[in-house]
């Protein structure tokens, strides 16, 4: 599986411009790299926690994402993990990720379950109530969003549900880059799976987002990595490496879940 992550610099609350930019970058990624999967970052339609009227710039029921990326996935014959968008549904704002297969079907939709309380996300966004796994080209995948890299329970749950690749759209700040590097590697190592992280970049509303998108193998080795500017980062995932690793280091077999209960 070949993946391209789009380390995007978006504009706060300029939804139309951001949609146009995201589509252009997806087309560029496919044209230049021929990936099986293209990934966008977190809340790329509005920026993260922008100053101003967020509700007015939200997608509504993910209609705009579906209208733009379903036909695009079908046209380009590519799977699209469309990052996440600020999404207005039933009067509440959610941080929602949609996944489209090569036929343009929306095969998964995920509302971020753990808002980033240090920046007040929980005061604006409503958390989701369930996790998702899905299959792309025969590969079982999972999806989490940004802050959720700090919650190992989420990752182990996805791994136990069969995920071999976990996608992580993000708006991670440059100030916490060391945490970003460490936690993405740890999640890959402890769950023996591929981590495909797609971070935003650029400064918005006084916060600098770090870029440094990373694609890691199940040993935590970096297959590809971005810098601090807008770019496309691509790597091939050798899925055949997972089974021998899990046999050699039988983390899942050696679990004792009866001890892990509170």
């Amino acid at each position: 599986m070949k993946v391209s992550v789009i380390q995007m610099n978006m504009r706060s609350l300029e939804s139309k411009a951001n949609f146009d930019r995201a589509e252009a970058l997806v087309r560029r990624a496919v044209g230049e790299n021929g990936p099986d999967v293209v990934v966008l970052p977190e809340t790329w339609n509005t920026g993260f926690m922008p100053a101003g009227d967020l509700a007015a710039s939200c997608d509504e029921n993910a209609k705009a994402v579906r209208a733009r990326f379903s036909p695009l996935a079908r046209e380009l014959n590519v799977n699209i993990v469309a990052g996440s968008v600020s999404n207005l549904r039933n009067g509440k704002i959610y941080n929602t990720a949609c996944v489209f297969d090569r036929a343009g079907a929306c095969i998964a939709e995920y509302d971020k379950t753990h808002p980033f309380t240090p920046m007040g996300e929980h005061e604006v966004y409503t958390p989701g109530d369930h996790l998702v796994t899905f299959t792309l080209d025969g590969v079982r995948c999972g999806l989490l969003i940004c802050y959720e890299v700090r919650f190992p329970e989420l990752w182990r749950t996805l791994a136990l549900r069969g995920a071999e690749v976990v996608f992580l759209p993000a708006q991670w700040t440059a100030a916490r880059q060391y945490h970003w590097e460490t936690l993405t590697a740890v999640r890959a190592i402890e769950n023996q799976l591929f981590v495909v992280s797609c971070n935003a970049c650029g400064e918005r509303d006084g916060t600098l987002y770090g870029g440094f998108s990373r694609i890691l193998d199940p040993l935590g080795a970096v297959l590809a990595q971005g810098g601090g500017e807008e770019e496309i980062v691509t790597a091939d995932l050798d899925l055949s490496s997972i089974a021998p690793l899990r046999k050699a280091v039988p983390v899942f077999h050696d679990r004792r879940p009866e001890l892990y209960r509170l």
Side-chain angles (χ1 to χ4, degrees), residues 10 37 53 78 116 123 141 146 162 179 191 211 237 240 250 261:
M10 69 288 304
V37 186
D53 188 354
V78 70
F116 186 50
E123 297 174 357
C141 303
C146 199
H179 292 182
N191 293 293
L237 313 185
S240 69
R261 306 180 196 280

Side-chain angles (χ1 to χ4, degrees), residues 50-110:
D53 188 354
L54 175 60
S57 297
C58 283
D59 198 352
E60 186 172 357
N61 295 318
K63 289 179 182 177
V65 170
R66 294 172 187 271
R68 183 72 71 102
F69 288 96
S70 173
L72 186 64
R74 186 167 56 250
E75 174 195 341
L76 300 177
N77 188 32
V78 70
N79 302 292
I80 300 177
V81 178
S84 76
V85 294
S86 298
N87 181 36
L88 185 64
R89 187 170 69 238
N90 297 326
K92 297 179 180 180
I93 299 174
Y94 294 84
N95 189 335
T96 303
C98 293
V99 179
F100 302 91
D101 67 12
R102 294 179 186 270
C106 184
I107 60 170
E109 186 172 321
Y110 173 65

Side-chain angles (χ1 to χ4, degrees), residues 136-172:
L136 295 177
D137 295 348
V139 179
R140 200 68 180 162
C141 303
L143 189 153
L144 295 168
I145 299 174
C146 199
Y147 183 45
E148 296 177 326
V149 74
R150 293 185 180 272
F151 296 86
E153 304 93 337
L154 300 177
W155 292 76
R156 183 50 55 90
T157 298
L158 294 180
L160 290 171
R161 291 182 182 180
E164 296 185 316
V165 180
V166 174
F167 298 98
L168 184 70
Q171 290 258 10
W172 197 274

Side-chain angles (χ1 to χ4, degrees), residues 16-32:
K16 183 182 184 307
N18 292 331
F19 264 88
D20 290 345
R21 182 63 179 158
E23 178 177 342
L25 288 168
V26 170
R27 289 185 179 278
R28 177 181 152 196
V30 173
E32 293 180 355

Side-chain angles (χ1 to χ4, degrees), residues 181-192:
E181 295 178 46
T182 302
L183 291 168
T184 50
V186 166
R187 297 296 165 253
I189 294 166
E190 69 188 0
N191 293 293
Q192 300 173 322

